[in-house]
Amino acid sequence: MRRMRGITSDMDQGLRRQTRRRRAQLVAWWHTLQMGAQITVLMLSPRSYTGGRARTVLSHQVTAVLPLLPWFVVLSALISLVIIRIVTATASSYGLSQYALELLVRTLVLELIPLFAALFVALRHAMPGAEQLRHQLDVRQRAGGHIPGIAGLAGTLLPRAMASMHAVVLLAALAGVVALVITYLVVHGLSPWAVPSYTYDVGRVFNSVVSLIFLLKTLFFSLAVATVPLAGAAEPDEHGRYVPRSDMAEFARLFSVLLMVEIASLVGNYY
């Protein structure tokens, strides 16, 4: 009888832990949606860029892009070159060279490069910045300072969010241009006579629907990178504290959002 009571008690405790964990996850997602909505409204409001705030936003954008630019260009060029060589060699061996260019544009430029840019900015800028912000809030709370709510923090997070969005969009566009140039050099060499046919083939892939989906996907990628890490940093734990959190948990939340956007874009492009 005691053993049955002990088993029942353990099951109840496990169920309570699972319930608390699920509730904490729902609260975290709701907090992320609220913070993302607040930051988005501030981005679209002209008042957010008055009184010297525009200079602050621009300085954050420059600080976010310049340290990432050299390494990102080199790394994206190397990855693009490897993928291009693999695809062109494989297509040539199977006699499908005429489809290699469209395949490269669809897989590399449309799908891989925006995701790579978003992950690069998230790991190198957005998540370290969010961790630094959480540390500042923790220090301020320990010193007895007042921590504002979501509406109060949104104005503080706006320059950081704008910097992350700007970095994702700029790096994705730059990597796309680099990939297209490398593709032309690999396929046609230094000859300028293939430029009209090459631009025609690339433009045929970028029709109105594909271009709109590509722009929306890049925009939502940048918005996710800008808001999800900052919302997690500005969210107190169950005890109301801002102690450091696991980086893997924050990255998993961000990656799940990016994955949902990627799946939606794939459905829009190919179904």
Side-chain angles (χ1 to χ4, degrees):
M1 189 71 178
R2 292 180 179 177
R3 180 185 245 175
M4 292 296 297
R5 290 179 179 176
I7 294 175
T8 304
S9 178
D10 293 339
M11 292 178 61
D12 291 340
Q13 292 178 0
L15 183 60
R16 292 193 191 98
R17 285 195 297 268
Q18 290 290 335
T19 303
R20 286 196 299 267
R21 190 178 297 113
R22 296 289 182 268
R23 186 181 302 160
Q25 291 176 352
L26 290 176
V27 170
W29 279 109
W30 177 245
H31 186 274
T32 301
L33 290 175
Q34 284 184 301
M35 184 64 70
Q38 290 279 351
I39 293 175
T40 303
V41 170
L42 287 176
M43 287 179 184
L44 300 176
S45 175
R47 293 183 180 179
S48 302
Y49 309 99
T50 58
R53 296 175 184 174
R55 182 176 300 177
T56 304
V57 171
L58 289 176
S59 64
H60 275 79
Q61 290 179 352
V62 173
T63 305
V65 172
L66 282 184
L68 304 181
L69 192 59
W71 289 106
F72 180 80
V73 171
V74 173
L75 189 59
S76 62
L78 290 176
I79 295 175
S80 299
L81 181 60
V82 172
I83 295 176
I84 291 167
R85 290 296 300 172
I86 292 174
V87 172
T88 53
T90 304
S92 177
S93 64
Y94 285 97
L96 301 174
S97 300
Q98 65 273 20
Y99 302 108
L101 179 58
E102 182 177 354
L103 179 62
L104 282 172
V105 173
R106 288 188 176 274
T107 57
L108 186 59
V109 179
L110 291 180
E111 308 300 339
L112 296 181
I113 284 179
L115 182 60
F116 174 64
L119 292 176
F120 191 87
V121 174
L123 293 175
R124 298 287 295 176
H125 173 74
M127 293 185 65
E131 184 179 356
Q132 181 183 8
L133 174 66
R134 190 170 183 84
H135 176 70
Q136 294 174 357
L137 293 176
D138 184 35
V139 171
R140 184 175 178 181
Q141 187 181 50
R142 292 177 184 273
H146 173 67
I147 306 297
I150 294 177
L153 284 175
T156 305
L157 303 181
L158 177 63
R160 299 173 182 265
M162 289 290 293
S164 297
M165 287 190 65
H166 176 257
V168 172
V169 174
L170 179 62
L171 294 183
L174 182 61
V177 173
V178 171
L180 290 175
V181 171
I182 295 176
T183 302
Y184 180 86
L185 294 177
V186 171
V187 176
H188 301 289
L190 297 177
S191 174
W193 307 112
V195 172
S197 62
Y198 180 76
T199 54
Y200 174 77
D201 293 335
V202 173
R204 188 174 56 182
V205 175
F206 280 94
N207 56 45
S208 58
V209 176
V210 172
S211 300
L212 178 61
I213 294 175
F214 175 73
L215 292 175
L216 290 177
K217 179 175 71 172
T218 306
L219 178 62
F220 282 114
F221 273 176
S222 63
L223 186 61
V225 172
T227 57
V228 174
L230 291 178
E235 178 193 1
D237 59 12
E238 57 183 1
H239 303 290
R241 298 175 299 181
Y242 292 90
V243 295
R245 288 182 170 181
S246 172
D247 291 337
M248 289 303 299
E250 298 299 327
F251 179 76
R253 185 187 303 178
L254 174 61
F255 187 76
S256 62
V257 176
L258 296 178
L259 186 61
M260 287 188 290
V261 176
E262 180 66 27
I263 292 174
S265 69
L266 291 175
V267 171
N269 279 329
Y270 303 108
Y271 289 96

